[in-house]
Amino acid sequence: MDLAAVKAKCVDFLASPENANALVDILEFSENEDNSVVRASIKSLKKACKHLIDTEREAVVGKVVDRESAYETWIREKYRVCLRRFFELTNHENSSLRKLSFESLLKVCIEEGRALSQEIYTFPVETFQFIVRSATHYDATGDLIQILEENLRYDDVRYHTLRELKNVIEIEMEKGSGGSVSFVTNCFRLLQSVEMPSSGSDLTAFLIGSPPGEGECAVGTRKKRRAVARKLAKPVQDKVTVLLEHRRSFGDAWLAFLRFPLPSSVYKRVLVSLHKTVMPHLVDPKVLIDFLTDSYNIGGSVSLLALNGLFVLIQEHNLDYPDFFVKLYALLDQSIFHAKYVTRFFRLLDVFLTSSHLPAYLVAAFIKRLARLSLTAPPSGIILVIPFICNLIKRHPACRVLVHRKTDEGLDCDPYLMNEADPAKSNALKSSLWEIMTMKCHYLPAVSSLVALLEQPLDKPEHDMEKHVDQTYDHLFSKAIGKKSTQFVPRLHSTPKAEILDLQIH
């Protein structure tokens, strides 16, 4: 009976302005406990909103009715009430009703935008605010964001999503709560879904109609677009058709998001993708200096992941970071071999230690620290360290003294200070690579055979590290059992002290 009443009220409202109060009844039906009644009222409200939009358009364009009349004022007021009700229903306990409300709100937004753009292109910003707010605040399952993601391929939707996302985040920050985990996760998902155009000529897809002058007026310099717009007697939309404005909105949204106290899982995912998907599209990537340096100072895996972004700033944007190598040196501890991103770390470490202008004491400190860590590293880590050290010595000839130092030079104990935080004070250049010699006695042949790399002439080309970076423990085990002989006999005899200390390579 309620379903029939909802449909009847909708028919009455659409039939005549005299039945305007039927809209109030439909709104009341949307609060019913019966989900089927709520579903019917959502569909009726969508039809009613379209009717209100058409009536408003007639008042603006056709001047059929008096726009300043009491009825027109009532229409605009009730239209906002309907939008608010859609927004509230996107938080309904029933997932299908949440999705239907969100889809209805988006369709109403499109209808409003296309109606307003009959004369001058106008994006329905106020209505679109409800869409972004509901997607970020009330979407625990991801259904609403998925609908919005499907529309991010449109340039106007993407542009205004970024602008409204920034506003929503700033409002949440003003509350002092820092945002719930679901809110932060939803914001991050939206930002990750944005695919930025590479050039201004790519800005041709618009959901809310096409900006006047789109095509002839949307490409070229601003001066040229304005000239073409004047010739065609069409206004030109400076922002939604300008790549620079898209990039500014993209950067503003990301900067607002990065001010949140991010959960650990989101924080790491941000750092993983920042240098690839975010920094290339920023107007000025140097705005991320504070975020990346603070992340680098945290330590552990977070510091490791911040290296990618810092490397881009150092290499491409002349970032001066005086304590960079000291902090990089501090990252080298036993846990590095068990980190998820160990391969990425060693690739970046190799790049950082490439320059021939680095002082010998600094490179020697890294070499010696890696050698000492190899004593307790898993086999996969040792297989990575030995060729890495060999390449550093070939790249920096001043460090060859670590290989050629003789025991008769009064080296009774190792002068290297493992616990010294400053590589300049570690005495690494006064030491030798006795740790690598002990690897000759390693139980795994794949490890012991690598020591021969340092027994070869050091003027040969560097070794290809890509052959060793993916040598995981599982890979080594699978490789070993794949052979006909699977028995490993550990070499447990001790290595003479003289052989350890006297690492003479000719």
Side-chain angles (χ1 to χ4, degrees):
M1 188 173 181
D2 286 340
L3 288 175
V6 173
K7 295 178 181 179
K9 290 293 182 182
C10 182
V11 172
D12 290 343
F13 176 76
L14 297 178
S16 172
E18 296 177 357
N19 301 323
N21 286 328
L23 180 60
V24 177
D25 297 328
I26 298 175
L27 288 167
E28 291 179 357
F29 278 117
S30 68
E31 300 176 4
N32 197 289
E33 295 181 357
D34 188 344
N35 288 344
S36 61
V37 175
V38 177
R39 181 180 299 276
S41 65
I42 292 174
K43 294 179 180 179
S44 297
L45 284 175
K46 184 174 69 172
K47 294 179 181 178
C49 284
K50 187 179 184 309
H51 176 74
L52 294 174
I53 291 170
D54 291 339
T55 304
E56 177 72 7
R57 180 171 55 187
E58 291 174 357
V60 175
V61 181
K63 299 181 180 179
V64 176
V65 294
D66 183 6
R67 192 167 186 268
E68 302 302 325
S69 66
Y71 177 65
E72 276 296 300
T73 303
W74 184 89
I75 282 180
R76 288 192 291 272
E77 179 185 334
K78 291 306 176 185
Y79 179 72
R80 300 299 298 174
V81 172
C82 291
L83 295 180
R84 171 67 63 177
R85 186 58 189 147
F86 280 131
F87 174 67
E88 293 170 351
L89 288 170
T90 58
N91 192 31
H92 198 278
E93 59 182 11
N94 184 279
S95 60
S96 63
L97 290 179
R98 288 199 304 269
K99 187 175 180 180
L100 178 61
S101 300
F102 189 81
E103 290 174 336
S104 300
L105 184 59
L106 181 59
K107 290 178 180 178
V108 168
C109 181
I110 296 172
E111 289 288 341
E112 180 186 349
R114 291 176 177 173
L116 294 175
S117 299
Q118 293 294 316
E119 289 294 315
I120 299 177
Y121 175 81
T122 305
F123 194 91
V125 175
E126 293 184 8
T127 303
F128 197 71
Q129 289 175 352
F130 289 113
I131 294 173
V132 177
R133 286 177 60 191
S134 58
T136 52
H137 285 83
Y138 300 147
D139 193 9
T141 61
D143 293 338
L144 308 187
I145 287 184
Q146 184 177 357
I147 298 171
L148 185 54
E149 284 175 338
E150 293 170 355
N151 290 279
L152 288 178
R153 66 182 185 274
Y154 297 107
D155 299 314
D156 50 353
V157 174
R158 179 180 59 249
Y159 174 75
H160 287 283
T161 296
L162 291 170
R163 288 174 61 88
E164 293 309 319
L165 188 60
K166 170 183 175 291
N167 295 334
V168 166
I169 292 174
E170 289 179 346
I171 292 173
E172 199 69 22
M173 289 291 289
E174 289 176 0
K175 295 179 181 178
S177 61
S180 63
V181 174
S182 62
F183 175 77
V184 174
T185 303
N186 289 337
C187 291
F188 179 58
R189 177 175 171 178
L190 267 182
L191 287 170
Q192 269 197 318
S193 302
V194 171
E195 295 184 6
M196 289 293 289
S198 57
S199 65
S201 59
D202 294 332
L203 300 174
T204 57
F206 300 93
L207 180 63
I208 310 298
S210 294
E214 187 274 318
E216 299 95 340
C217 301
V219 295
T221 64
R222 178 176 296 188
K223 183 177 180 181
K224 181 178 179 181
R225 288 185 292 108
R226 288 186 181 279
V228 174
R230 285 194 300 270
K231 183 178 179 180
L232 297 175
K234 294 181 179 179
V236 60
Q237 227 22 53
D238 279 328
K239 294 186 177 181
V240 77
T241 59
V242 177
L243 179 62
L244 180 61
E245 294 296 333
H246 284 256
R247 293 177 64 186
R248 282 175 177 164
S249 299
F250 180 76
D252 291 343
W254 267 104
L255 286 178
F257 174 74
L258 294 178
R259 295 189 183 101
F260 270 121
L262 303 177
S264 178
S265 58
V266 175
Y267 202 150
K268 292 179 180 180
R269 290 170 64 192
V270 167
L271 290 173
V272 166
S273 60
L274 204 63
H275 67 291
K276 286 184 178 180
T277 60
V278 179
M279 296 178 73
H281 301 293
L282 296 179
V283 176
D284 183 11
K286 292 193 290 294
V287 296
L288 294 177
I289 288 177
D290 289 342
F291 174 77
L292 288 171
T293 52
D294 289 345
S295 301
Y296 189 52
N297 292 335
I298 290 176
S301 60
V302 174
S303 295
L304 191 154
L305 294 174
L307 282 174
N308 277 311
L310 279 177
F311 174 66
V312 173
L313 292 177
I314 292 172
Q315 185 183 50
E316 300 179 11
H317 301 281
N318 301 317
L319 172 64
D320 184 18
Y321 196 156
D323 297 330
F324 177 78
F325 284 101
V326 175
K327 295 186 181 299
L328 184 64
Y329 185 71
L331 289 179
L332 291 176
D333 56 26
Q334 197 57 46
S335 65
I336 196 67
F337 298 107
H338 304 281
K340 180 180 179 180
Y341 307 100
V342 59
T343 299
R344 175 180 299 181
F345 173 76
F346 271 91
R347 285 195 177 103
L348 284 173
L349 184 62
D350 184 56
V351 174
F352 293 142
L353 298 176
T354 297
S355 175
S356 59
H357 297 292
L358 294 175
Y361 75 82
L362 180 65
V363 179
F366 278 91
I367 291 174
K368 186 63 181 176
R369 194 175 187 94
L370 287 171
R372 183 65 60 85
L373 290 173
S374 69
L375 293 176
T376 53
S380 57
I382 303 173
I383 290 175
L384 190 59
V385 164
I386 294 179
F388 188 86
I389 288 176
C390 185
N391 284 350
L392 288 180
I393 294 175
K394 290 181 178 183
R395 193 180 301 162
H396 303 276
C399 295
R400 293 182 184 181
V401 64
L402 297 174
V403 177
H404 295 294
R405 178 161 280 122
K406 299 180 180 180
T407 56
D408 56 8
E409 295 182 11
L411 193 64
D412 295 329
C413 62
D414 193 342
Y416 173 67
L417 304 176
M418 179 67 175
N419 295 325
E420 173 57 52
D422 188 351
K425 300 177 182 179
S426 65
N427 297 329
L429 274 176
K430 298 178 181 179
S431 184
S432 69
L433 291 180
W434 61 266
E435 298 95 341
I436 302 301
M437 181 57 71
T438 64
M439 299 303 158
K440 278 190 171 183
C441 304
H442 200 277
Y443 67 88
L444 190 64
V447 172
S448 58
S449 61
L450 280 175
V451 181
L453 294 177
L454 286 170
E455 297 175 340
Q456 299 173 1
L458 296 176
D459 55 353
K460 289 187 176 182
E462 295 184 12
H463 299 281
D464 183 9
M465 288 298 300
E466 293 301 318
K467 297 179 180 179
H468 307 285
V469 293
D470 294 323
Q471 298 290 323
T472 63
Y473 211 55
D474 290 339
H475 176 80
L476 292 173
F477 182 76
S478 300
K479 184 178 179 180
I481 64 175
K483 296 181 179 180
K484 292 182 179 179
S485 176
T486 60
Q487 296 181 355
F488 295 95
V489 181
R491 305 184 211 177
L492 301 178
H493 62 277
S494 60
T495 304
K497 180 179 179 182
E499 184 180 358
I500 294 176
L501 294 178
D502 189 11
L503 188 58
Q504 303 180 47
I505 309 299
H506 303 287

